[in-house]
């Protein structure tokens, strides 16, 4: 609780969180939820780490496409490779939000064919060493301290905390234990699938092109939560339209629940934008989901 | 350790298990494995619960097909419904092992279209009330006590224990906490996928026909372990050919590992059969995987 206090301001939002945890953990109270059902889910991009000026994994994919085109210039005939080589972020920005499937295909196929071990090394190195263009620190440091503190706080009250990312599950897992204290198996996300191969008679996993269906966005979030966890969350936090169904899943469970939506309203310390969250913000107002104002509710944003 | 001692005989198998756990948990030793990497995986059918005279979930599916045909007799034109209504187990037995995909389709599609909540209730009731034809106790009691004790023992040494069933993930999850002490999110298996629906404006999950690819059998086991857990196991236990790749995955990890194969050699207390395990038994001998003899290594099999 001390940790939660230190990075959250003393606002109604903080009180709502603390009250909810007290209610569901009070064994003698009417809203008690047993520990095995205390599932909490957090979106990742824009909820736990910064998603501006673009998704971190998009930068990672672009770097890979550029690298591949340097080795094989015939790839430049393909628009994604051409845009990556030219540093044309506008090409990728135009794919979102109108053609998210195409964007995801570009992102995920950029590392197809390699072994999972190679991918993990590449992703970990990228997140640990490539700097955010504005903040000048490695991407893995661009995480919201109050959310990390909230996840700690929930775990200390016997919640099971999961990440439900629309971005790459394997990508986030390479750093989840280090930066969030969330074990790999508690990270759900969109992902490629794998096939079993052999290397010198040893079994290896190769990354296949194409995504596991459904991608972990929008209606795919409840589906993946059911597949990976097997019960609905009682606490769900997101920041964008792709999180709506996940929040609805918590609301539909018939149990006490707390839904939260992080509002990016702090251009000074992070970014201020509603794009991609318009409908979620509207529903939050209609359904009494708790809005988190980055500007008002958080004493600190990052640790750097 | 007391629990492990009470249901396992004092044989080399038991010693191998105890020695392995000592080695990987000794922080000062050369084979120490940190807790986050202590992943243990157990197949379910024939490894944790009895799979004879047929898979429990097959009995469950047949009961459902029969029930559906009673409501709609036109279904009897389909061979699976006809066989179910006539109690013709031979029809289903012929599908295995030669046409496992068809058998799995029959099993999983038998509950397509219903909500996940309805399915869970039906599965839980079946496992709790329908009796095993030979043992005369509910199916959920037909679990191997020494394996439950082993999973407890591993958890008490900070292993993360998962079930990796070729059978239905949702089916096993309805009882996993009660009978094995394994939380739902630690049960991996073959499964249908879901789609989001609405019931009186409330989000619900509907079971779709068709299986999530790949099914959790053979080469699908390492793939699903990677998708659900994100790292290879250091302890893997199975009993059949469909577990081979899972054991190979542990062996390929480069970490200390213990692979075990349960040998059904106890016709008196359970069943004696090698069918479906021929290749696994051969590899166990070649690769020094630890064989568990039900007859010699287990003091008790069931608790009833």
């Amino acid at each position: 609780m001390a940790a939660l206090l230190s990075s959250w301001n003393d606002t109604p939002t903080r009180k709502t969180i603390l009250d909810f945890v007290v209610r569901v953990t009070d064994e003698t109270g009417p809203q008690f939820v047993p520990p095995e059902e205390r599932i909490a889910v957090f979106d990742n991009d824009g909820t736990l780490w910064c998603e501006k000026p673009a998704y971190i994994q998009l930068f990672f994919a672009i770097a890979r496409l550029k690298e591949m085109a340097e080795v094989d210039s015939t790839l430049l005939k393909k628009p994604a490779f051409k845009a990556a080589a030219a540093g044309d972020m506008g090409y990728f920005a135009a794919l979102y939000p109108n053609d998210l499937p195409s964007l995801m295909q570009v992102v995920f196929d950029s590392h197809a064919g390699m072994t999972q071990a190679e991918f993990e090394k590449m992703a970990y190195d990228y997140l640990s060493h490539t700097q955010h263009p504005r903040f000048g620190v490695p991407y893995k440091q661009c995480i919201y301290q109050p959310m990390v503190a909230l996840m700690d706080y929930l775990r200390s009250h016997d919640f099971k905390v999961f990440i439900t990312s629309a971005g790459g599950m394997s990508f986030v897992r390479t750093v989840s234990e280090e930066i969030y204290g969330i074990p790999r198996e508690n990270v759900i996300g969109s992902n490629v699938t794998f096939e079993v191969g052999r290397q010198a008679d040893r079994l290896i996993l190769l990354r296949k092109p194409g995504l596991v269906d459904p991608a972990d966005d929008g209606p795919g979030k409840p589906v993946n939560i059911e597949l990976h966890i097997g019960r609905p969350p009682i606490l769900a936090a997101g920041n964008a339209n792709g999180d709506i169904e996940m929040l609805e899943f918590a609301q539909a469970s018939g149990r006490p629940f707390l839904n939260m939506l992080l509002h990016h309203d702090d251009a000074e310390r992070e970014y201020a934008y509603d794009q991609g969250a318009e409908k979620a913000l509207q529903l939050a107002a209609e359904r009494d989901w708790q809005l988190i104002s980055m500007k008002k509710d958080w004493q600190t944003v990052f640790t750097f």
Side-chain angles (χ1 to χ4, degrees), chain A:
Chain A
M1 201 141 121
L4 189 65
L5 287 169
S6 69
S7 48
W8 290 72
N9 288 322
D10 188 14
T11 60
T13 305
R14 183 177 155 284
K15 187 169 172 354
T16 298
I17 296 169
L18 297 177
D19 284 354
F20 174 74
V21 173
V22 166
R23 282 205 312 280
V24 299
T25 56
D26 175 5
E27 281 187 55
T28 63
Q31 299 216 302
F32 178 70
V33 176
E36 64 271 21
E37 296 181 8
R38 284 181 213 157
I39 308 290
V41 291
F42 288 77
D43 168 60
N44 187 50
D45 292 287
T47 300
L48 296 179
W49 74 24
C50 181
E51 64 179 356
K52 294 291 174 188
Y55 296 126
I56 298 175
Q57 198 175 0
L58 178 57
F59 285 123
F60 174 61
I62 290 172
R64 169 75 182 161
L65 296 178
K66 196 177 163 190
E67 193 183 276
M68 289 166 82
E70 279 164 12
V71 174
D72 175 6
S73 63
T74 65
L75 290 170
L76 293 170
K77 283 179 229 156
K78 298 184 185 180
F81 286 91
K82 194 179 157 197
D88 174 14
M89 286 302 292
Y91 169 82
F92 298 100
L95 293 178
Y96 181 82
N98 300 318
D99 190 5
L100 191 58
S102 293
L103 184 66
M104 290 181 90
Q105 197 186 335
V106 166
V107 167
F108 284 96
D109 287 0
S110 61
H111 294 81
M114 62 175 61
T115 68
Q116 177 67 350
E118 286 164 347
F119 172 83
E120 284 180 356
K121 187 181 178 321
M122 211 176 268
Y124 182 78
D125 286 348
Y126 187 85
L127 287 164
S128 301
H129 299 302
T130 309
Q131 292 192 353
H132 187 279
R134 173 174 156 195
F135 301 119
V137 299
Y139 282 117
K140 74 176 178 186
Q141 289 183 32
C142 298
I143 59 174
Y144 307 135
Q145 181 52 31
M147 291 307 234
V148 177
L150 173 56
M151 293 193 293
D152 277 351
Y153 174 73
L154 292 171
R155 271 196 306 267
S156 75
H157 286 79
D158 292 330
F159 277 73
K160 299 173 179 184
V161 181
F162 291 82
I163 295 174
T164 53
S165 179
M169 182 160 73
S170 297
F171 186 67
V172 178
R173 280 175 175 173
T174 63
V175 292
S176 65
E177 286 163 2
E178 178 183 330
I179 67 176
Y180 298 134
I182 301 286
R184 290 189 181 197
E185 62 269 23
N186 282 24
V187 178
I188 304 169
S190 302
N191 219 62
V192 303
T193 187
F194 305 95
E195 63 188 340
V196 159
R198 305 274 162 184
Q199 210 167 48
D201 216 34
R202 211 169 55 91
L203 186 147
I204 53 166
L205 288 178
L206 296 164
R207 292 172 68 85
K208 282 173 79 172
L211 279 173
V212 173
D213 181 53
D216 197 36
D217 197 38
K221 288 210 178 192
V223 173
N224 280 301
I225 288 170
E226 181 60 37
L227 288 171
H228 283 263
I229 307 176
R231 28 170 78 95
I234 65 163
L235 185 153
N239 76 302
N241 296 336
D243 299 313
I244 290 172
E245 284 85 352
M246 177 173 82
L247 275 63
E248 288 185 295
F249 193 32
Q251 187 146 21
S253 74
R255 294 180 181 79
F257 71 95
L258 175 60
N259 279 338
M260 294 189 287
L261 198 69
L262 174 60
H263 189 206
H264 291 268
D265 57 1
D266 193 336
E268 201 178 315
R269 295 188 296 177
E270 203 238 9
Y271 293 91
Y273 59 98
D274 289 348
Q275 203 208 1
E278 301 85 348
K279 198 180 165 202
L281 288 164
Q282 184 196 326
L283 285 175
E286 287 172 23
R287 300 186 183 178
D288 207 22
W289 296 344
Q290 180 65 50
L291 224 58
I292 300 171
S293 161
M294 185 177 278
K295 188 171 180 159
K296 294 177 198 154
D297 292 325
W298 287 359
Q299 188 151 9
T300 55
V301 176
F302 302 113
T303 51
F304 51 80

